Amino acid sequence: MRKRFHMGRKSHRQDERRQLRAEHLDSRRLLAAELTAIGTYETGVFDDSGAEIVAYDSSSERAFFTNSSADEVVILDVSDPTNPNKVGHIDVSALNVDGDVVDTGGVNSVAVYDGLVAVAIENEDSVEDGYVGFYDTNGLFQGSVVVGTLPDMLTFTPDGSKVLVANEGEPSDEGRAPTMATGEGGFQTQPLFTEDEEIFVIGQTFDSENA
């Protein structure tokens, strides 16, 4: 009885392995069939972070990518994916923060959700608090918020109500920890934890009509 039970379990495991191998092969065939380049956009910049982080907004059929060499986010119309066309850019070399225009250290990341573009922007002094700027899909400024040191990556939550910001952080001579602040337009920040590296949650309560 024990021997028959053992053989049955072994046969079942073999069937599972065969199924997994078959699914793996099917997924490889699917990827090979679907991943075909149909359009290209070139910045003309080589070896200088001319195009790094890309985000796509289905509502406007536009793509956004960071161009660190020019301190900007490039806006592409990809309604015809075979012919991506630049229709604008977001200059982040300077930013409106609480009514004051400040120079920045450049762009690090971009994310978009339903027509709202969020851009991670570092401080001109890399050990000081950076920013997240918010724009519409035409590049029109909507608001900003101060976050932690060197915001390096950001993403919207699935419902679009919050933005998660990962702050890379760098040590300073004074050893000052990144701080929390509230930016204009009703964007609220809250650190999930306070270490040299932080993640901020930005709750979106912004009303574009009051910008």
Side-chain angles (χ1 to χ4, degrees):
M1 179 66 68
R2 291 181 180 176
K3 186 176 181 180
R4 287 197 296 270
F5 178 70
H6 175 72
M7 292 295 290
R9 289 174 57 191
K10 183 176 181 181
S11 176
H12 180 67
R13 289 196 298 267
Q14 289 175 339
D15 290 342
E16 286 182 337
R17 286 196 291 268
R18 291 192 191 97
Q19 183 178 351
L20 287 173
R21 283 196 295 269
E23 290 175 353
H24 178 65
L25 290 173
D26 287 343
S27 64
R28 291 181 62 182
R29 294 189 189 100
L30 182 62
L31 288 173
E34 291 186 350
L35 296 180
T36 303
I38 59 173
T40 302
Y41 176 83
E42 296 183 3
T43 63
V45 178
F46 177 73
D47 198 26
D48 194 22
S49 299
E52 187 174 6
I53 310 299
V54 183
Y56 173 70
D57 178 52
S58 59
S59 65
S60 62
E61 296 186 303
R62 290 186 171 184
F64 305 81
F65 69 83
T66 60
N67 181 351
S68 298
S69 66
D71 291 338
E72 67 180 16
V73 173
V74 176
I75 306 173
L76 296 180
D77 176 4
V78 291
S79 56
D80 177 5
T82 65
N83 184 33
N85 180 42
K86 181 178 178 180
V87 293
H89 71 278
I90 300 171
D91 182 359
V92 300
S93 61
L95 183 69
N96 186 325
V97 180
D98 295 332
D100 296 323
V101 177
V102 300
D103 292 331
T104 75
V107 59
N108 288 335
S109 189
V110 61
V112 61
Y113 182 91
D114 196 24
L116 184 64
V117 183
V119 183
I121 306 167
E122 68 179 75
N123 196 297
E124 187 177 29
D125 183 345
S126 63
V127 299
E128 295 294 330
D129 292 334
Y131 320 97
V132 172
F134 292 89
Y135 307 83
D136 67 15
T137 54
N138 293 314
L140 181 64
F141 179 73
Q142 302 291 297
S144 67
V145 65
V146 179
V147 289
T149 306
L150 280 180
D152 187 57
M153 183 271 181
L154 77 173
T155 186
F156 283 89
T157 54
D159 64 358
S161 65
K162 296 179 178 65
V163 173
L164 303 180
V165 184
N167 300 300
E168 182 178 353
E170 284 187 357
S172 66
D173 294 337
E174 296 80 16
R176 188 183 63 81
T179 59
M180 182 189 76
T182 301
E184 67 178 57
F187 292 103
Q188 305 292 324
T189 65
Q190 177 182 356
L192 295 185
F193 56 88
T194 54
E195 299 287 348
D196 288 338
E197 296 186 8
E198 291 183 321
I199 295 178
F200 274 78
V201 178
I202 302 176
Q204 183 189 153
T205 58
F206 182 75
D207 183 355
S208 61
E209 294 180 357
N210 296 327

